[in-house]
Amino acid sequence: MPPAPVERSRAHRVVLAEDSVLLREGLVGVLGRFGHEVVAAVGDAQALRDAVATYAPDVVVTDVRMPPGFKDEGLRAAIALREERPGLPVLVLSQYVQRSYAAELLDTGDGGGVGYLLKDRVGQVEQFVDAFTRVAEGGTVVDPEVVRQLLRHRRDPLERLTPREREVLALVAEGRSNAAIAAELVVTEAAVGKHVGNILAKLDLPPADGTHRRVLAVLAFLRA
């Protein structure tokens, strides 16, 4: 039995950012099929910001990773746009579950109108259009798989740390260097380095260019 048709909402003017031409054109077609007008379809984060400034859309749909770095340019642009234009509905698309990305985006969602959807859902037209409509109308939409992973890690993020690792992290939070921590705990600097490595791994903070993992670990410590 075919799925029930998605009810049409009022038409929205959309700025779309996606570096894959094939997916971008597919999204333009899907949104147009349901009565929405894509006023600009662009392929990088700066073009996204320029298009929003030019067209003042009702909704933004953007990929997370886009040129030039293919890291989190789309997400950063989305967050900046929400800061500049409070309440601007933004639906972010991602290839994978990125818990830190999802959490950061949702932190901008106090006023609603925010969504984080895996690209797999785009192929399920009814689900994608339903998510788009809810975000456009001020709702919050998070992909079920993202919810599962956020809930799995929403418990105390430090619960996986040993007592010694917690002690080391507390000293890191005070701004101590590895050498200073080693002196405080009367252990070798190599041992402290191993503890710090274990802490970063257990907090799911893999190496990443431009990311200060010790700072992120301290933020996790302060939020716990």
Side-chain angles (χ1 to χ4, degrees), residues 98-147:
Q98 301 278 6
R99 288 188 303 275
S100 59
Y101 291 164
E104 186 165 2
L105 178 68
L106 294 175
D107 280 344
T108 73
D110 292 342
V114 63
Y116 186 101
L117 201 64
L118 294 182
K119 288 186 177 180
D120 287 348
R121 308 291 178 194
V122 174
Q124 302 169 28
V125 173
E126 289 78 12
Q127 289 189 27
F128 169 72
V129 175
D130 177 64
F132 171 85
T133 300
R134 283 188 282 157
V135 169
E137 295 178 352
T140 298
V141 177
V142 183
D143 193 283
E145 181 59 27
V146 177
V147 172

Side-chain angles (χ1 to χ4, degrees), residues 13 48 52 56-60 77-78 80-91 108 111-114 135-136:
R13 299 172 70 255
L48 166 60
V52 170
D58 301 317
V59 190
V60 167
L81 288 170
R82 297 254 316 165
E83 291 174 348
E84 295 166 5
R85 301 166 182 262
L88 173 66
V90 173
L91 175 59
T108 73
V114 63
V135 169

Side-chain angles (χ1 to χ4, degrees), residues 3-216:
V6 176
E7 293 185 9
R8 288 177 181 258
S9 65
R10 73 176 181 85
H12 295 286
R13 299 172 70 255
V14 185
V15 165
L16 169 66
E18 166 59 55
D19 66 285
S20 167
V21 175
L22 185 61
L23 180 55
R24 185 166 70 235
E25 292 303 312
L27 288 168
V28 169
V30 167
L31 291 169
R33 171 183 160 192
F34 286 87
H36 305 293
E37 179 188 5
V38 178
V39 295
V42 300
D44 64 75
Q46 186 57 54
L48 166 60
R49 298 190 66 171
D50 292 343
V52 170
T54 299
Y55 295 101
D58 301 317
V59 190
V60 167
V61 178
T62 181
D63 189 9
V64 166
R65 297 182 177 184
M66 288 194 296
F70 292 97
K71 293 178 182 176
D72 58 359
E73 289 86 350
L75 174 77
R76 296 297 170 197
I79 292 172
L81 288 170
R82 297 254 316 165
E83 291 174 348
E84 295 166 5
R85 301 166 182 262
L88 173 66
V90 173
L91 175 59
V92 169
L93 305 177
S94 181
Q95 187 68 43
Y96 308 103
V97 177
Q98 301 278 6
R99 288 188 303 275
S100 59
Y101 291 164
E104 186 165 2
L105 178 68
L106 294 175
D107 280 344
T108 73
D110 292 342
V114 63
Y116 186 101
L117 201 64
L118 294 182
K119 288 186 177 180
D120 287 348
R121 308 291 178 194
V122 174
Q124 302 169 28
V125 173
E126 289 78 12
Q127 289 189 27
F128 169 72
V129 175
D130 177 64
F132 171 85
T133 300
R134 283 188 282 157
V135 169
E137 295 178 352
T140 298
V141 177
V142 183
D143 193 283
E145 181 59 27
V146 177
V147 172
R148 280 192 288 272
Q149 294 213 24
L150 285 175
L151 288 176
R152 189 181 308 155
H153 292 264
R154 184 62 78 182
R155 306 182 194 95
D156 180 359
L158 308 183
E159 65 183 3
R160 288 177 288 173
L161 303 186
T162 65
R164 175 61 93 181
E165 288 166 354
R166 285 173 178 260
E167 192 174 14
V168 169
L169 182 53
L171 293 170
V172 170
E174 294 177 11
R176 308 275 191 101
S177 66
N178 283 7
I181 294 171
E184 175 73 20
L185 300 180
V186 195
V187 296
T188 66
E189 192 169 342
V192 173
K194 183 176 180 180
H195 285 312
V196 170
N198 289 340
I199 291 166
L200 297 175
K202 290 180 180 180
L203 294 181
D204 295 323
L205 298 172
D209 293 340
T211 300
H212 300 288
R213 295 191 297 157
R214 287 173 76 105
V215 174
L216 295 176

